[in-house]
């Protein structure tokens, strides 16, 4: 799908999720970043990328993304927990 239409936000989000399941965390971050570039208001993409940063032991990056999730949705209890 991405090769046919690189403007598909959900394709990047889904690819990032698949890569995360395969433990390819760096690649997952790249796909979540592409999703964010297409939809900078996507709390799901920021949240998922924050989780990857956490698993990659990059807490500063994770914190920035969790803070962005809270900026986008102050009721996001998951972001507060992380």
């Amino acid at each position: 799908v991405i090769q046919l239409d690189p403007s598909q936000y959900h394709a990047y989000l889904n690819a990032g999720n698949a890569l995360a399941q395969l433990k390819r965390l760096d690649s997952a971050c790249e796909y979540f970043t592409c999703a964010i570039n297409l939809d900078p208001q996507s709390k799901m993409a920021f949240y998922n990328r924050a989780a990857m940063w956490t698993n990659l032991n990059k807490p500063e990056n994770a914190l920035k993304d969790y803070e962005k999730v809270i900026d986008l949705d102050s009721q996001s209890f998951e972001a507060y927990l992380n």
Side-chain angles (χ1 to χ4, degrees):
V1 172
I2 293 170
Q3 289 179 338
L4 296 174
D5 185 358
S7 68
Q8 292 295 317
Y9 154 81
H10 284 95
Y12 285 100
L13 189 65
N14 290 337
N17 287 332
L19 289 163
Q21 290 293 317
L22 295 171
K23 305 295 186 215
R24 293 178 50 196
L25 306 182
D26 286 318
S27 294
C29 278
E30 291 175 22
Y31 277 87
F32 292 135
T33 299
C34 290
I36 290 165
N37 289 337
L38 291 170
D39 182 2
Q41 301 302 307
S42 172
K43 65 180 181 181
M44 181 63 68
F46 277 106
Y47 184 83
N48 289 354
R49 189 174 71 176
M52 296 305 99
W53 291 134
T54 299
N55 288 322
L56 288 166
N57 198 28
K58 296 185 178 181
E60 298 85 10
N61 294 1
L63 181 59
K64 288 178 189 175
D65 281 353
Y66 285 128
E67 288 173 344
K68 183 64 176 178
V69 172
I70 292 167
D71 286 345
L72 293 169
D73 179 7
S74 62
Q75 302 301 311
S76 178
F77 71 91
E78 296 96 347
Y80 284 107
L81 294 175
N82 289 295

